[in-house]
Amino acid sequence: MSDIPFGTTEWSSIEPTQHKGESGYAYWRTCQFGELRVRMVEYTPGYLSDHWCSKGHILLCMEGELHTELEDGRVFTLKPGMSYQVSDHTEPHRSHTKVGARLFVID
């Protein structure tokens, strides 16, 4: 990270954008800091991603439960306080949740 001055973010003041999944919706509140995209993401109950993602992320589960499937078939479950990290173009992944989830994501 470079050329990012100290600042604070009031996430509730950022208008969410809606992204439809294969089922359910994701709501993103997004800030851009140089090349870093930082998001507060909420998945509705029953959300299933509509694509395999090959972008790298650092993702922290803040509420709910998130299941992330890798293209090789492995599945990881995150509960509040758990995170995952993956670099760009390393392991394609997609997520789903039965109960909904609130996430903090840096990519």
Side-chain angles (χ1 to χ4, degrees):
M1 293 188 292
S2 62
D3 298 321
I4 302 172
F6 181 86
T8 63
T9 304
E10 178 55 55
W11 290 100
S12 63
S13 70
I14 298 170
E15 193 66 31
T17 57
Q18 182 183 60
H19 304 265
K20 186 171 177 19
E22 189 172 306
S23 63
Y25 292 91
Y27 294 93
W28 298 4
R29 296 175 191 268
T30 306
C31 288
Q32 194 74 35
F33 302 103
E35 294 184 13
L36 289 179
R37 178 176 66 172
V38 180
R39 298 177 286 157
M40 189 72 69
V41 176
E42 293 187 42
Y43 289 152
T44 61
Y47 175 81
L48 170 62
S49 178
D50 66 350
H51 67 283
W52 289 95
C53 180
S54 56
K55 177 105 176 107
H57 313 285
I58 297 172
L59 183 149
L60 170 66
C61 181
M62 298 172 59
E63 294 176 13
E65 186 173 273
L66 183 71
H67 305 281
T68 300
E69 177 184 5
L70 302 187
E71 200 171 44
D72 67 10
R74 291 179 291 159
V75 178
F76 298 88
T77 300
L78 296 184
K79 295 182 180 187
M82 296 176 71
S83 64
Y84 76 69
Q85 53 284 325
V86 63
S87 63
D88 289 342
H89 312 293
T90 302
E91 295 177 286
H93 51 279
R94 68 177 178 175
S95 294
H96 67 278
T97 177
K98 291 181 182 179
V99 300
R102 187 165 175 231
L103 314 167
F104 186 75
V105 184
I106 301 171
D107 47 32

